Amino acid sequence: MAKKSSADKTAAADENVDKSTPKVEEEPDFSDPEDYIDDITDEELLGDMIISKPSETDGHETFIVVDGIPKVEPKRKEKLQSVIEKILSKFGNIINKYYPVNKETEETLGYAFFEFSTPQDALTAVEKGNNYKLDKQHTFKINLLTDFKKFENLSEDWEPPSPQPFKAAADLHSYLLDPDAYDQFCIVSGQPGNTSVQVWQNCQPEPMIVEDRPRWTETWTKWSPLGTYLATFHKLGVALWGGPKFEQQHKFVQRNVECIDFSPCERYLVTYSPRDDSIEKKLSMWDILTGQKKRSFDVKGPSIWPIFKWSHDDKYVACMAENTLCIYETPSFGLLDKKSISTPGIRDFSWSPTDNIIAFWLPENKDVPARVTLMEIPSRNEIRKNNLFNVADCKIFWQKSGDYLCVKVDRFAKKKEKTEQKYTESLQNLQNFQGISYNLEIFHMREKLIPVDSVEIKEPIHAFAWEPIGNKFAIIHGESGAVSVSFYGVRMGNQPAFLKKFEKRSANHLFWSPAGQFIVLAGMTTMSGALEFVDTNDFTSMNLTDHYQTSDIEWDPTGRYVVTSVASWKSNVDNGYWLWTFQGRILKRVNLNQLNQFNWRPRPPTLLTPEQIKDIKKNLKKYSSQFESKDRLRLTRASKELIEKRHQLMKEFEAYRAGRVEQHNNQKKRRLELRQHIDTDELDSDTKNVEEEIVEFFVKEETFIIDN
């Protein structure tokens, strides 16, 4: 047998390999031809993935550019940096900064770059820090670094904006144009989240509803000080409404607002969310006209509302901090003169209602006596100081016209060493402390050097109230269960004079009429709603009555009417409000289930001068005849409306009766057939042609067996 050569063996091996394993194909070529043109865009191929494509500005969102920085030499650069970084650090955490300098002089170039830890902090710095006034010559202009690309691509072809059609704004003071000068009031009723809000006009003889909206607010409402706006509370913020149809004028976004406060001239609004821990700064100040947030504050610990108090002209707003009094000026809301007022241990302060004068009191500190200080703003001149000794507590009361200031002083009868703890304990147990005396310090603000008179009261003082227009004040004093009400008059250059004392009265609150002269002595909370209406011209008690469980008492802006109400937060029964005249005569009782709130709509100050008002009062009899004729005409109109209503009801009844008579006549033929052609319609009681017969017949009888 012949042997195979090595070549034959190799061929046979290759043949076996081909039979056992598949043959490897040549790899395809995916390259495009040289003349191929790709006309498919990345957006068509990648779809949603193209959205996440990195851009050149990625990572730049945390950078801001601050322009308007002072140009300083190297030795002042460090101080400038500390001031600027202190301001900007309020908006977030700064992780990097760069101050460009002139290479020759090494002076700063007037701008700088800052990097924050998050884009949100950078955006906050732009929103709140832009236009920050560093001093009289330098104001910050802050922009995001990413905005510069947008500025580079601005079109050079400017086109003037097209004129917008004129849209007349709502008349926010239309309610003042009522010819009869009727006042309005707002009522809130229902459970929280399902409330009903009604606005009424106090017409005569019956009030007329102006607006009625369900769920208009989630909790309460509040009128602005001049009556221009009605504020409603919502989970997302506060809304202001106004105009004849109460259209929404402004809204301010801040979650869970519970407290608001308007500035006296209605230029600014303060909102406060005390129980929302998700808000970093719970108190915010807003410009009402623009809706812009002017400044925010982080309020820590318990506070008495309002935390901030306004000057009468909206130029300043102040608050107390630890041992300092902080006064901010508008519209920048920066600290006045960039520094607070040192007031060690300050307890309370209050603005004059007519002047930029602020009154505050400081407690005793070692050998330094307590004192009340009157300070002019913005000069900070202390125009009057009054030292007080052995002071336990003070309360500040301004007269509405700003002519007088009363400081109610509670004193220790004997000098004691008072620490902070003893001071707090004295406030908590003031009424039960037998070693307390009481004084009223009266400041005559319009007299030279502001003299001070002191009125000593030997009994505990429970309430104090100035007459809004006039020179009298009233106090409730005495031991519990046997209180009295006393009236004093204040004259320029004279000691306050005692006028009248009402002994053993059930009263713990005083409510003066806005027009003065008349006052309501009210026993609320524990006194079951006792009411006494007093004319302080001759101190006549016009009416002594009560409204059980009264929770609120409010005069209308003119002083003609007063309302007592029982709200659901005080009692679950007898909710409603009663309307009285200033003399204490009841006009109307309205029972309203789950009444939450009753508020009269305020009015702005009168445009009449004091001389004109005096002349009107002098010639009131001449005008009273016109008012009486209007009242008679109004009552006649009401009677006419009632008569017209009765006439309309009579016409409707006669039309109904005529229809029934016609139906009766149409059925007469059928009645004759059923009655053997005897016309029973023509018979009277004396007719004997018809005999009456009673027919009785058995209908059905069934027997049932009832099992036990």
Side-chain angles (χ1 to χ4, degrees):
M1 185 174 180
K3 295 183 179 180
K4 293 184 179 179
S5 64
S6 59
D8 295 336
K9 292 179 180 180
T10 302
D14 291 341
E15 185 179 355
N16 291 334
V17 171
D18 294 338
K19 292 180 180 180
S20 59
T21 60
K23 186 177 180 179
V24 179
E25 297 180 359
E26 186 178 357
E27 292 183 0
D29 184 9
F30 292 101
S31 301
D32 295 329
E34 294 182 0
D35 58 347
Y36 177 77
I37 299 175
D38 187 3
D39 58 352
I40 302 177
T41 62
D42 292 342
E43 286 77 6
E44 292 177 320
L45 287 175
L46 300 178
D48 296 338
M49 294 180 63
I50 200 68
I51 299 175
S52 59
K53 177 183 177 181
S55 64
E56 296 179 1
T57 59
D58 281 353
H60 295 173
E61 296 89 350
T62 57
F63 288 86
I64 65 170
V65 183
V66 182
D67 199 1
I69 294 175
K71 298 179 181 181
V72 297
E73 59 273 11
K75 64 180 181 180
R76 298 176 57 194
K77 181 179 176 182
E78 184 178 351
K79 182 178 181 181
L80 174 67
Q81 290 177 356
S82 63
V83 172
I84 295 175
E85 290 167 16
K86 182 179 179 181
I87 296 171
L88 296 179
S89 61
K90 298 177 182 179
F91 310 125
N93 182 28
I94 300 175
I95 60 177
N96 201 0
K97 66 262 187 184
Y98 175 63
Y99 295 84
V101 296
N102 189 308
K103 293 182 179 180
E104 297 178 358
T105 62
E106 295 187 355
E107 289 185 351
T108 57
L109 297 179
Y111 59 91
F113 300 87
F114 295 88
E115 181 184 4
F116 286 87
S117 58
T118 64
Q120 182 60 39
D121 291 343
L123 185 61
T124 303
V126 173
E127 292 177 351
K128 298 183 178 180
N130 191 39
N131 293 322
Y132 180 85
K133 190 175 182 180
L134 185 64
D135 54 36
K136 294 182 179 180
Q137 289 80 26
H138 300 91
T139 302
F140 288 167
K141 298 296 181 182
I142 305 179
N143 292 282
L144 292 172
L145 185 61
T146 54
D147 288 340
F148 283 85
K149 186 175 181 61
K150 177 181 66 176
F151 298 149
E152 291 174 357
N153 298 328
L154 292 177
S155 175
E156 296 182 359
D157 299 330
W158 180 81
E159 295 182 1
S162 58
Q164 299 295 324
F166 173 75
K167 182 180 179 182
D171 184 3
L172 300 180
H173 302 94
S174 58
Y175 68 100
L176 298 174
L177 303 178
D178 184 80
D180 294 314
Y182 289 133
D183 289 297
Q184 295 182 356
F185 57 86
C186 178
I187 295 175
V188 182
S189 60
Q191 297 179 350
N194 189 27
T195 59
S196 173
V197 180
Q198 296 177 333
V199 178
W200 291 78
Q201 191 173 31
N202 190 31
C203 303
Q204 296 297 329
E206 291 293 332
M208 178 181 67
I209 193 165
V210 177
E211 197 71 28
D212 184 4
R213 298 184 191 177
R215 294 182 294 277
W216 197 356
T217 183
E218 296 184 15
T219 51
W220 312 97
T221 63
K222 184 174 182 177
W223 294 105
S224 58
L226 305 180
T228 307
Y229 303 105
L230 177 66
T232 57
F233 294 76
H234 310 272
K235 289 183 179 179
L236 297 180
V238 177
L240 301 186
W241 310 79
K245 301 296 182 182
F246 285 94
E247 300 171 348
Q248 187 180 102
Q249 305 298 321
H250 309 282
K251 60 181 179 180
F252 306 93
V253 179
Q254 179 176 324
R255 296 183 61 87
N256 300 321
V257 174
E258 295 184 18
C259 304
I260 66 171
D261 184 36
F262 289 89
S263 62
C265 299
E266 301 182 343
R267 180 65 191 274
Y268 303 102
L269 176 70
V270 182
T271 58
Y272 183 39
S273 304
R275 290 185 283 188
D276 194 335
D277 296 331
S278 63
I279 302 177
E280 182 180 356
K281 295 185 176 181
K282 299 181 179 181
L283 187 145
S284 300
M285 295 186 176
W286 309 81
D287 188 312
I288 290 179
L289 297 180
T290 64
Q292 179 185 6
K293 182 184 291 187
K294 305 298 292 185
R295 185 158 183 178
S296 298
F297 295 87
D298 185 15
V299 180
K300 297 180 179 179
S303 301
I304 299 176
W305 188 258
I307 300 172
F308 286 81
K309 299 179 182 180
W310 294 89
S311 64
H312 76 286
D313 55 3
D314 288 9
K315 287 186 177 180
Y316 307 100
V317 62
C319 72
M320 293 187 302
E322 186 176 0
N323 297 323
T324 58
L325 179 62
C326 301
I327 301 178
Y328 301 87
E329 56 182 342
T330 60
S332 64
F333 284 86
L335 267 177
L336 180 64
D337 297 333
K338 298 184 180 179
K339 59 182 179 180
S340 57
I341 302 172
S342 177
T343 50
I346 183 172
R347 298 300 179 190
D348 193 14
F349 74 97
S350 181
W351 288 95
S352 165
T354 55
D355 304 284
N356 284 332
I357 298 175
I358 194 167
F360 58 88
W361 79 276
L362 309 179
E364 297 181 49
N365 184 13
K366 296 181 180 180
D367 296 332
V368 180
R371 71 177 185 270
V372 176
T373 302
L374 301 180
M375 180 180 291
E376 282 186 333
I377 302 298
S379 65
R380 304 194 184 201
N381 294 332
E382 295 183 352
I383 59 176
R384 187 66 164 90
K385 282 185 180 180
N386 191 33
N387 292 332
L388 305 170
F389 297 92
N390 304 329
V391 175
D393 190 24
C394 287
K395 298 294 182 185
I396 301 173
F397 302 93
W398 283 96
Q399 189 204 30
K400 185 178 179 181
S401 62
D403 295 338
Y404 302 101
L405 168 67
C406 175
V407 178
K408 182 176 78 71
V409 184
D410 302 332
R411 303 177 186 270
F412 292 102
K414 296 181 180 180
K415 184 174 179 59
K416 295 179 180 291
E417 180 184 357
K418 292 173 283 300
T419 62
E420 181 70 20
Q421 180 179 1
K422 288 184 178 181
Y423 176 85
T424 305
E425 291 176 355
S426 69
L427 292 182
Q428 295 174 349
N429 304 300
L430 193 56
Q431 298 301 328
N432 299 324
F433 189 77
Q434 299 300 323
I436 296 289
S437 61
Y438 307 88
N439 285 80
L440 300 176
E441 305 291 327
I442 308 297
F443 292 72
H444 297 252
M445 299 300 299
R446 306 304 181 195
E447 297 183 36
K448 187 177 181 180
L449 301 179
I450 311 180
V452 181
D453 293 326
S454 183
V455 179
E456 183 178 359
I457 307 296
K458 297 182 180 181
E459 299 174 318
I461 300 175
H462 305 286
F464 177 96
W466 282 104
E467 184 182 19
I469 298 178
N471 57 358
K472 295 189 286 288
F473 65 84
I475 60 172
I476 299 177
H477 58 95
E479 300 297 334
S480 179
V483 299
S484 301
V485 181
S486 296
F487 295 87
Y488 290 80
V490 183
R491 299 288 183 184
M492 292 184 63
N494 295 322
Q495 182 81 5
F498 173 77
L499 300 177
K500 181 68 176 179
K501 182 178 181 180
F502 291 88
E503 297 183 349
K504 295 182 180 180
R505 289 300 196 268
S506 297
N508 53 15
H509 288 77
L510 301 167
F511 297 93
W512 281 97
S513 165
Q517 183 178 345
F518 304 101
I519 190 173
V520 176
L521 315 179
M524 302 168 67
T525 60
T526 59
M527 294 188 179
S528 301
L531 303 171
E532 184 172 4
F533 294 79
V534 177
D535 182 352
T536 61
N537 269 3
D538 53 6
F539 295 100
T540 303
S541 179
M542 298 179 292
N543 190 17
L544 186 60
T545 180
D546 68 276
H547 183 184
Y548 184 68
Q549 295 285 2
T550 297
S551 59
D552 296 287
I553 296 177
E554 190 169 349
W555 285 86
D556 81 315
T558 64
R560 291 178 290 180
Y561 305 99
V562 63
V563 164
T564 59
S565 59
V566 180
S568 58
W569 57 264
K570 169 73 181 297
S571 173
N572 293 327
V573 296
D574 297 332
N575 295 153
Y577 64 91
W578 293 4
L579 180 66
W580 311 76
T581 66
F582 66 93
Q583 299 167 321
R585 179 168 56 88
I586 187 70
L587 295 177
K588 196 174 188 63
R589 294 182 175 91
V590 178
N591 296 324
L592 187 59
N593 190 30
Q594 293 183 333
L595 172 68
N596 298 328
Q597 190 180 22
F598 181 102
N599 280 331
W600 288 102
R601 185 172 192 172
R603 285 179 173 267
T606 178
L607 300 178
L608 299 176
T609 63
E611 291 75 16
Q612 290 174 323
I613 296 175
K614 186 176 181 180
D615 183 67
I616 291 174
K617 289 182 177 180
K618 183 178 179 180
N619 300 299
L620 191 59
K621 291 184 178 180
K622 180 177 68 175
Y623 302 108
S624 61
S625 59
Q626 301 177 14
F627 299 146
E628 289 174 359
S629 62
K630 274 192 172 183
D631 290 340
R632 286 193 298 269
L633 181 62
R634 194 176 295 116
L635 292 174
T636 304
R637 188 184 303 119
S639 302
K640 183 179 179 182
E641 292 175 357
L642 181 61
I643 293 172
E644 290 178 352
K645 184 177 180 181
R646 290 178 177 176
H647 277 306
Q648 182 64 26
L649 292 175
M650 190 64 183
K651 289 180 180 179
E652 293 176 1
F653 171 74
E654 290 177 350
Y656 174 81
R657 185 176 184 278
R660 300 287 76 78
V661 169
E662 183 179 1
Q663 182 183 11
H664 181 269
N665 294 335
N666 293 336
Q667 295 175 348
K668 184 170 185 177
K669 183 178 180 181
R670 180 58 179 164
R671 288 199 303 276
L672 291 174
E673 293 176 355
L674 293 175
R675 298 174 182 175
Q676 299 177 359
H677 298 283
I678 299 176
D679 190 359
T680 57
D681 298 339
E682 302 297 333
L683 298 178
D684 54 22
S685 59
D686 296 332
T687 303
K688 304 299 183 181
N689 294 334
V690 178
E691 295 182 0
E692 294 184 359
E693 181 180 357
I694 299 176
V695 179
E696 297 181 358
F697 56 91
F698 182 76
V699 179
K700 188 177 182 180
E701 181 179 352
E702 292 183 358
T703 304
F704 298 93
I705 299 176
I706 301 175
D707 297 333
N708 293 332

